[in-house]
Amino acid sequence: MGFEDVHQRRVASFPYDIRFAHTKSSNHRSELLASDHCGCFYCCKTFSPHEIIEWIDDIGEVGQTALCP
Ligand SMILES: [Zn+2]
């Protein structure tokens, strides 16, 4: 089984609110910057979107997905 299958199964086992948050876990720049706080799936910390330094998934000049600060 490849990473994508394992990942999809794992995500499917999460509660609804976590799965909803997961749909916002990439290509989220404008939504994130409009929020007061956000959280990292990897280290489980929360922080202000203004603390984000690095963005990836560039469309044009602007990255759409935050990297955890
Ligand atoms: Zn993190």
Side-chain angles (χ1 to χ4, degrees):
M1 209 186 294
F3 168 80
E4 197 56 36
D5 296 321
V6 174
H7 184 71
Q8 294 300 336
R9 280 184 184 217
R10 186 146 180 242
V11 169
S13 73
F14 292 157
Y16 175 79
D17 55 340
I18 304 295
R19 277 186 285 134
F20 181 74
H22 182 261
T23 67
K24 312 283 188 189
S25 65
S26 59
N27 297 309
H28 49 203
R29 187 186 182 107
S30 55
E31 201 165 8
L32 212 60
L33 290 176
S35 305
D36 292 330
H37 57 270
C38 50
C40 172
F41 270 101
Y42 187 72
C43 68
C44 299
K45 290 200 169 123
T46 56
F47 44 88
S48 159
H50 302 289
E51 293 176 60
I52 296 164
I53 298 160
E54 232 184 312
W55 298 83
I56 57 172
D57 299 332
D58 296 17
I59 294 175
E61 314 253 292
V62 186
Q64 298 301 311
T65 299
L67 291 187
C68 178

